[in-house]
């Protein structure tokens, strides 16, 4: 389903229900039944394993759950889950088919983090679909945490990744239409993104996370957002919990959002309270133009509680726990 249509549908159905249980079921899911998230939450919140992801990505969470239910670990689950969206050429914000920058280049950012606090990331990666897997290779096979541009691409090819053109006909057409006016507005509206961020907690209670994106459509050449920046787009601390972000990356970076959420959980906040506080830090900044952009967080803690919060209506989280793969609308800061 295209993001634009999905947002239209869910805005009619989902209604937030308050702190700590502020997610409600709002969409059908192809690989699992839909139930009320509020009632499911109380009964099953400590049932491991489970996986959560930004936006409506039931096929990705289903893949991650398949890995987890086969006794796989959380790291394999988040990588393989994200790969589903990267390979989906219909999705225009992740991997193949991602919308290009203003010069027509599709450039990918991704990162991954494991239960030991190890991490890997790639920025401005071109011609390689599975950026999240390259990030994992950076983590596991190099002494570094981040590779960029040509170096990242050459590294990927040396590891056997296939080089291919990621610009699909549909994305090329969208870019050509955009070029007519070439309006470059370095802001993000609530529809113009759908980075996939995924967090999983496996049978043993170990946590990993991953994040992958083609970034802001029609961004300046060379622009990198929050998604590959450890602590901003993603942070995992296996003793506490994990958080992943989506939305206008510049605003997430300025507040080191995902690290902030995990640190707030360390200090005793629930995942829901921590996500809300991190959004508050953005919107209460002097002269913040938060009405013009979206940021959303999802988080989980070691106990298996989850939370989600965004600036604007329309942000959703997909959660697969036991046999239920559910998409839920998040509470949001702007009420009108
Ligand atoms: N956070 C991403 C970025 O700024 C965009 C997104 O979430 O869609 O690159």
């Amino acid at each position: 389903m295209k993001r634009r249509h999905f947002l239209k549908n869910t805005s009619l159905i989902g209604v937030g229900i308050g702190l700590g249980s502020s997610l409600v079921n709002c969409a059908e899911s192809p690989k699992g039944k839909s139930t009320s998230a509020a009632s499911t939450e109380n009964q099953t919140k400590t049932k491991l394993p489970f996986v959560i992801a930004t936006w409506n990505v039931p096929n990705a969470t289903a893949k991650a759950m398949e890995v987890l239910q086969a006794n796989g670990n959380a790291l394999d689950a988040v990588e393989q889950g994200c790969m589903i969206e990267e390979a989906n050429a219909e999705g225009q914000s992740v991997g193949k088919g991602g919308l290009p920058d203003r010069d027509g280049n599709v450039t990918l950012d991704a990162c991954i983090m494991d239960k030991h606090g190890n991490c890997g990331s790639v920025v401005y990666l071109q011609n390689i679909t599975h950026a999240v897997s390259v990030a994992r290779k950076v983590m596991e096979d190099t002494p570094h945490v981040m590779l960029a541009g040509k170096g990242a691409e050459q590294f990927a090819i040396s590891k056997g990744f296939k080089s291919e053109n990621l610009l699909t006909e549909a994305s090329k057409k969208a870019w050509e239409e955009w070029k007519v006016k070439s309006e470059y507005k370095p802001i993000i509206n609530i529809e113009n993104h759908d980075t996939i961020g995924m967090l999983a907690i496996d049978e043993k209670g170990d946590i990993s996370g991953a994040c992958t994106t083609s970034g802001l459509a029609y961004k300046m050449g060379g622009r990198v957002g929050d998604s590959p920046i450890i602590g901003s787009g993603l942070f995992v601390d296996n003793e506490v919990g994990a958080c992943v972000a989506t939305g206008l990356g510049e605003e997430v970076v300025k507040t080191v959002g995902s690290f902030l959420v995990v640190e707030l959980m360390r200090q005793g906040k629930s995942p829901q309270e921590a996500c809300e506080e991190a959004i508050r830090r953005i919107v209460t900044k002097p002269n913040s133009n938060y009405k013009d952009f979206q940021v959303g967080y999802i988080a989980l803690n070691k106990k298996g509680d989850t939370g989600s919060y965004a600036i604007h209506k329309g942000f959703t989280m997909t959660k697969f726990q036991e046999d239920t793969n559910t998409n839920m609308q998040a509470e949001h800061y702007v009420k009108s």
Side-chain angles (χ1 to χ4, degrees):
M1 189 185 297
K2 284 221 163 70
R3 176 78 45 222
R4 197 170 292 269
H5 297 145
F6 169 69
L7 289 174
K8 248 189 224 152
N9 292 344
T10 55
S11 65
L12 295 172
I13 308 167
V15 183
I17 55 169
L19 187 78
S21 57
S22 58
L23 300 165
V24 294
N25 170 40
C26 68
E28 81 284 356
S29 58
K31 295 208 177 175
K33 64 187 176 194
S34 293
T35 61
S36 154
S39 62
T40 310
E41 192 72 22
N42 287 336
Q43 294 160 18
T44 62
K45 69 181 180 184
T46 55
K47 290 240 170 82
L48 304 184
F50 72 84
V51 57
I52 57 175
T54 55
W55 303 110
N56 187 27
V57 288
N59 295 329
T61 49
K63 181 69 200 180
M65 197 56 163
E66 190 186 307
V67 174
L68 292 167
Q69 284 176 338
N71 285 327
N73 61 48
L75 185 66
D76 290 334
V78 293
E79 181 192 4
Q80 289 185 40
C82 285
M83 286 171 70
I84 295 289
E85 287 301 311
E86 288 178 334
N88 173 15
E90 306 271 294
Q92 291 189 303
S93 293
V94 181
K96 194 181 290 180
L99 289 168
D101 65 15
R102 58 193 316 188
D103 306 314
N105 300 313
V106 180
T107 69
L108 307 181
D109 299 331
C111 72
I112 195 160
M113 198 162 181
D114 74 8
K115 64 178 180 183
H116 302 295
N118 296 316
C119 51
S121 125
V122 287
V123 306
Y124 201 81
L125 177 68
Q126 290 179 266
N127 304 316
I128 308 287
T129 296
H130 292 300
V132 72
S133 302
V134 185
R136 182 168 177 175
K137 289 277 181 220
V138 172
M139 174 173 84
E140 292 179 340
D141 295 358
T142 81
H144 308 304
V145 296
M146 185 181 280
L147 291 180
K150 273 282 162 225
E153 189 178 338
Q154 279 159 9
F155 169 73
I157 287 164
S158 79
K159 291 287 169 185
F161 288 84
K162 192 170 104 195
S163 177
E164 55 188 327
N165 178 16
L166 303 182
L167 188 64
T168 56
E169 277 309 310
S171 290
K172 191 170 172 214
K173 189 162 172 270
W175 170 60
E176 275 160 358
E177 281 164 15
W178 172 83
K179 269 204 301 183
V180 174
K181 282 196 180 162
S182 289
E183 266 185 327
Y184 177 61
K185 293 185 182 157
I187 57 170
I188 199 163
N189 66 40
I190 62 166
E191 296 179 2
N192 186 20
H193 52 86
D194 54 357
T195 291
I196 176 166
M198 186 177 276
L199 307 173
I201 179 160
D202 60 29
E203 193 76 46
K204 293 183 182 150
D206 289 324
I207 303 167
S208 290
C211 187
T212 182
T213 188
S214 55
L216 189 52
Y218 321 128
K219 59 197 174 186
M220 290 176 71
R223 181 265 187 189
V224 171
D226 61 311
S227 302
I229 311 293
I230 297 296
S232 292
L234 171 74
F235 197 70
V236 175
D237 183 325
N238 198 41
E239 286 185 4
V240 178
C243 175
V244 68
T246 184
L248 185 59
E250 282 74 2
E251 295 296 325
V252 177
V253 170
K254 286 179 204 167
T255 49
V256 199
S258 292
F259 182 72
L260 173 62
V261 169
V262 173
E263 285 308 295
L264 289 166
M265 291 194 289
R266 188 193 306 281
Q267 290 161 24
K269 289 203 186 300
S270 69
Q272 184 63 33
E273 291 166 340
C275 289
E276 292 186 13
E277 176 58 24
I279 291 293
R280 225 170 275 128
R281 296 280 176 100
I282 295 172
V283 299
T284 56
K285 280 207 295 212
N287 305 321
S288 171
N289 60 339
Y290 67 88
K291 291 202 169 133
D292 295 331
F293 62 81
Q294 174 71 303
V295 170
Y297 291 109
I298 64 170
L300 57 78
N301 68 12
K302 197 70 180 167
K303 287 191 287 180
D305 302 320
T306 60
S308 173
Y309 199 67
I311 299 176
H312 298 280
K313 189 173 178 174
F315 177 51
T316 70
M317 173 175 93
T318 306
K319 179 175 186 177
F320 203 149
Q321 187 168 33
E322 296 195 274
D323 61 349
T324 305
N325 197 7
T326 313
N327 186 252
M328 315 166 199
Q329 182 156 305
E331 269 281 11
H332 44 93
Y333 181 83
V334 177
K335 300 299 176 200
S336 54

